[in-house]
Amino acid sequence: MSKFLILTTLSVSLMLGFAHANEEKAPRKNKMSQCHQQAEGKKGDDRKAFMKECLSTKATPNDADKHGTQQSKMKTCNAEAKGLKGDERKAKMSECLKG
């Protein structure tokens, strides 16, 4: 009887462990997808640096729902509008934040 209990406990523990591991992969995959979308138009070293920073940025669960995407988008748009001034910058930011 005790062997059955030990095996059952071990089996349940392993199943829960695998379920938890799969849950952790989903946010990473989503983050990779989001960073890839935000890096659209960047090439070479600029893209590499952006992806490294984007993937290393950690968001809290509450931020991911409301602010994470908007903050990331704003950061990306600011980088794209770097060097622009006045109406040209406003137009670029507006276009970028809408898309």
Side-chain angles (χ1 to χ4, degrees), residues 44-62:
D45 290 338
D46 288 338
R47 180 181 175 83
K48 197 181 290 186
F50 175 82
M51 290 296 287
K52 182 178 180 180
E53 182 179 330
C54 182
L55 292 171
S56 67
T57 304
K58 294 183 180 179
T60 61
N62 292 336

Side-chain angles (χ1 to χ4, degrees), residues 29 31 40 61 70 94:
K29 187 175 181 181
K31 188 167 190 172
E40 193 170 308
Q70 185 63 28
S94 179

Side-chain angles (χ1 to χ4, degrees), residues 38 50 53 57-60 62-64 66-78 97:
Q38 293 170 5
F50 175 82
E53 182 179 330
T57 304
K58 294 183 180 179
T60 61
N62 292 336
D63 288 344
K66 296 179 182 178
H67 305 293
T69 304
Q70 185 63 28
Q71 278 183 326
S72 297
K73 190 180 263 192
M74 188 66 155
K75 194 173 192 177
T76 302
C77 292
N78 274 326
L97 290 170

Side-chain angles (χ1 to χ4, degrees), residues 2-72:
S2 65
K3 286 183 181 181
F4 176 74
L5 183 60
I6 292 171
L7 287 175
T8 303
T9 305
L10 182 60
S11 296
V12 169
S13 296
L14 286 173
M15 289 188 325
L16 291 174
F18 286 129
H20 182 67
N22 285 336
E23 287 174 5
E24 288 180 354
K25 288 182 183 179
R28 279 190 248 147
K29 187 175 181 181
N30 290 339
K31 188 167 190 172
M32 180 64 130
S33 177
Q34 288 175 348
C35 290
H36 179 70
Q37 287 176 339
Q38 293 170 5
E40 193 170 308
K42 296 183 185 301
K43 293 182 181 180
D45 290 338
D46 288 338
R47 180 181 175 83
K48 197 181 290 186
F50 175 82
M51 290 296 287
K52 182 178 180 180
E53 182 179 330
C54 182
L55 292 171
S56 67
T57 304
K58 294 183 180 179
T60 61
N62 292 336
D63 288 344
D65 294 339
K66 296 179 182 178
H67 305 293
T69 304
Q70 185 63 28
Q71 278 183 326
S72 297

Side-chain angles (χ1 to χ4, degrees), residues 81 83-95:
L84 301 177
K85 294 182 181 181
D87 291 336
E88 193 176 8
R89 179 177 174 76
K90 285 181 188 177
K92 176 66 176 172
M93 290 295 290
S94 179
E95 177 186 320

